[in-house]
Amino acid sequence: MRLFIAVLFPDNVVDRLVSLRDTLHDEAVSGSFVPRDNLHLTLEFLGECNQGESRLASEALEALGADAFSIRMNRLGFFSRPDGDIWWVGAEESKDLLRLHSSLSSELSKRGFSLEKRKFRPHITLGRRVVTASKAGRIEPIDAPVSSVSLMLSERGEGHMVYTELSSVRLIRC
């Protein structure tokens, strides 16, 4: 089973992300756009895991003990790819988010997970293989609560990936 750990957002935040995704879709020549139910911020991608590793990932979540906080998403950007770009909404630098990511990485590493070494770049993917004349830049800020962290299962569905929450932990209210 393919697993990742993510922050999911409330409907009002997802509505704003969907609006940005739909505008990008309307301006694009081509691309594959993320379904509403799949919009999330990935904290760690775990890849193929067995049942035991799934339990260990849930344990790592339970060990977090982090405080709830908010992030501000304020830019639209993309990662260049030869077959079309990956378009995303990016979050402002957040010490709380970086601390959460670092704590999660530490807890997962303690449990034997081999994690990606590249720099954490918090973003919500809107579309892949997007060909468009749209411009990256600032957007009207979207303030989003980070009040829980979820272990997610990624499976191929009919024509797109289906993400299912396997477990989650609520962050401590300040």
Side-chain angles (χ1 to χ4, degrees), residues 7 9-10 17 34 44 46 50 56 65 70 85-87 97 103 110 113 117 124 137 149-151 155:
V7 174
F9 300 107
L17 295 169
V34 176
E44 285 289 354
L46 303 178
N50 59 37
L56 289 172
S70 291
D85 301 326
I86 298 172
W87 279 80
L97 184 57
S103 177
K110 286 179 195 175
F113 287 92
K117 300 295 184 219
I124 296 90
V149 177
S150 301
L151 176 62
E155 301 174 290

Side-chain angles (χ1 to χ4, degrees), residues 24-162:
L24 180 64
H25 176 271
D26 292 347
E27 295 173 354
V29 173
S30 63
S32 174
F33 296 88
V34 176
R36 176 188 177 85
D37 292 343
N38 287 3
L39 293 167
H40 68 277
L41 187 151
T42 300
L43 292 171
E44 285 289 354
F45 179 73
L46 303 178
E48 286 297 327
C49 296
N50 59 37
Q51 286 289 7
E53 291 166 326
S54 176
R55 281 191 296 279
L56 289 172
S58 289
E59 286 176 16
L61 291 184
E62 292 294 330
L64 283 176
D67 292 333
F69 57 95
S70 291
I71 59 171
R72 174 167 279 191
M73 296 174 263
N74 64 355
R75 65 189 188 284
L76 184 65
F78 60 90
F79 302 126
S80 293
R81 298 290 188 271
D83 62 341
D85 301 326
I86 298 172
W87 279 80
W88 46 259
V89 173
E92 278 183 0
E93 186 172 318
S94 163
K95 289 180 183 175
D96 291 322
L97 184 57
L98 293 175
R99 192 170 18 255
L100 175 63
H101 177 262
S102 177
S103 177
L104 175 62
S105 297
S106 175
E107 292 297 336
L108 289 166
S109 293
K110 286 179 195 175
R111 288 161 177 81
F113 287 92
S114 178
L115 305 174
E116 294 180 340
K117 300 295 184 219
R118 64 183 167 183
K119 182 180 178 190
F120 177 55
R121 297 168 85 181
H123 66 278
I124 296 90
T125 300
L126 300 178
R128 293 174 180 82
R129 295 178 305 284
V130 177
V131 176
T132 184
S134 295
K135 303 285 186 222
R138 296 278 177 205
I139 59 169
E140 183 179 329
I142 303 170
D143 292 319
V146 177
S147 56
S148 65
V149 177
S150 301
L151 176 62
M152 305 294 293
L153 171 66
S154 173
E155 301 174 290
R156 174 124 341 249
E158 292 184 27
H160 62 81
M161 298 306 289
V162 176

Side-chain angles (χ1 to χ4, degrees), residues 162-173:
V162 176
Y163 301 152
T164 305
E165 184 179 56
L166 298 179
S167 66
S168 70
V169 63
R170 298 219 33 90
L171 301 181
I172 300 164
R173 296 272 176 202

